[in-house]
Amino acid sequence: MIDLHAHTFHSDGSLSPEELLALGNAAGLEALAITDHDTFRGYDEAASLPRSRPIELICGIELSSKHQGRSVHLLGYFLRQGPADGFRRWLEELETQRKDRNRRLTHQLQQLGAPIELHEAEALGRTMTGRPHFARVLVAKGFVRTYEEAFERYLGEAGLAYVEREAPALEEGIERIRQAGGVSSLAHPVRIRVAAVEDLVRRLAGIGLDALEVFHSDHGPAERKRFLELARCCDLAVTGGSDFHGAIKPRIKLGSVPVERRWLDELKDRRP
Ligand code: AMP
Ligand code: ZN
Ligand code: FE
Ligand code: FE
């Protein structure tokens, strides 16, 4: 079994890369992709650790991109890591934009009578501090009762403190991943709020999308069937994983979404 979708505390997961690898070993995974949001830090750290058991560690990323004004997640795998590849430099630019958004978000919250400090959210989020970390601070300080309420009242797109963050278009993400020698996979398509996901996927396949995430903890049997058929009909490879976040989403266990090894072999064949 393999798991091609997992987060560490370098984005919004709760485990260190070392703990995540140990858990992958304990779960008996053959391969594990670390797919933190917009950063390679989790993968980099994991890759530098000594590995006692032969789990295959795969370099991945989950890019936050935009499509029709909404956030769409795009997975990337096997990206080249050389200094000549501009991908890491590009990620640094995105990180700067995120930091700027976080400063403005903090200011908004302070104006709205929910005075939290930026460092409080950053203490939870390390380099990839995002709205989930702000939500946890708002709960911890009693300004809202639940994580969900933090998004409803303050942080969500309809929330009072919402500050839009610049994000690359989905098409740009696909192109950048390809240019860095990687393959792209459209993450958890069930979450994409467009009238016809089928049409979007067909179009993206035509401009270089390599794969579709068919197996995911948000997908039931009907979705798996629907998206497997869609992948087949668009000649896309198939990816899958649990989207493990540790204690942040305790219901979702690492390796809990069955994904066969052969999908990974087919994915590798798509490398440009
Ligand atoms: P950011 O990249 O900092 O803008 O945060 C985006 C993350 O916030 C997403 O990946 C979700 O985990 C979380 N998120 C966004 N909207 C909501 C919502 N309405 N309810 C709960 N979590 C949300
Ligand atoms: Zn996440
Ligand atoms: Fe995602
Ligand atoms: Fe994810």
Side-chain angles (χ1 to χ4, degrees):
M1 217 64 91
I2 63 173
D3 195 326
L4 300 180
H5 193 155
H7 298 266
T8 75
F9 66 20
H10 285 288
S11 62
D12 58 351
S14 69
L15 296 189
S16 69
E18 190 168 11
E19 289 165 334
L20 181 66
L21 259 188
L23 199 60
N25 273 318
L29 290 177
E30 284 173 78
L32 169 67
I34 295 186
T35 54
D36 274 315
H37 298 281
D38 304 312
T39 181
F40 285 128
R41 282 193 179 80
Y43 166 77
D44 288 347
E45 226 178 280
S48 71
L49 294 167
R51 249 165 288 153
S52 52
R53 261 169 284 181
I55 187 169
E56 181 180 351
L57 178 66
I58 295 158
C59 172
I61 193 135
E62 185 171 20
L63 280 180
S64 314
S65 75
K66 276 229 163 125
H67 180 69
Q68 295 179 346
R70 286 166 188 266
S71 176
V72 174
H73 288 171
L74 181 68
L75 294 158
Y77 296 102
F78 320 121
L79 294 102
R80 268 195 309 262
Q81 303 294 319
D85 287 289
F87 197 85
R88 280 180 183 256
R89 245 174 297 128
W90 182 58
L91 288 183
E92 282 167 25
E93 287 169 32
L94 297 179
E95 200 175 308
T96 305
Q97 290 170 6
R98 174 180 284 277
K99 287 198 171 129
D100 179 57
R101 190 281 309 260
N102 288 348
R103 266 190 293 273
R104 293 194 287 149
L105 179 56
T106 305
H107 183 73
Q108 286 288 95
L109 287 168
Q110 289 166 350
Q111 298 288 306
L112 288 163
I116 72 166
E117 299 291 334
L118 182 54
H119 67 81
E120 293 174 298
E122 283 177 344
L124 298 176
R126 294 177 171 76
T127 43
M128 264 315 121
T129 301
R131 286 180 287 158
H133 309 106
F134 282 86
R136 283 162 61 194
V137 175
L138 288 170
V139 174
K141 297 191 92 176
F143 294 120
V144 290
R145 236 167 290 149
T146 64
Y147 182 88
E148 289 72 28
E149 193 188 337
F151 275 91
E152 267 161 44
R153 279 189 62 186
Y154 293 113
L155 306 171
E157 279 169 38
L160 292 168
Y162 182 67
V163 179
E164 199 174 339
R165 182 166 65 82
E166 294 293 320
L170 193 44
E171 291 83 352
E172 181 182 2
I174 291 170
E175 183 56 28
R176 297 250 185 196
I177 289 169
R178 169 153 292 259
Q179 277 170 5
V183 298
S184 56
S185 179
L186 193 63
H188 39 68
V190 73
R191 288 196 209 158
I192 301 176
R193 294 276 161 260
V194 294
V197 175
E198 270 74 6
D199 292 344
L200 173 66
V201 170
R202 227 167 271 130
R203 185 171 67 75
L204 295 175
I207 62 160
L209 180 72
D210 298 293
L212 190 63
E213 190 177 47
V214 169
F215 307 104
H216 185 272
S217 37
D218 282 358
H219 291 179
E223 281 90 20
R224 290 197 293 269
K225 180 168 180 288
R226 173 184 170 202
F227 294 124
L228 187 58
E229 278 167 12
L230 181 59
R232 283 307 177 222
C233 101
C234 296
D235 190 29
L236 291 169
V238 166
T239 70
S242 59
D243 205 354
F244 178 75
H245 282 76
I248 312 285
K249 297 179 183 174
R251 212 173 38 81
I252 297 164
K253 309 287 180 216
L254 188 67
S256 59
V257 172
V259 184
E260 290 171 37
R261 163 90 216 187
R262 66 181 167 115
W263 300 118
L264 176 59
D265 299 328
E266 285 184 26
L267 189 68
K268 286 178 177 171
D269 290 338
R270 302 279 173 145
R271 280 180 286 197

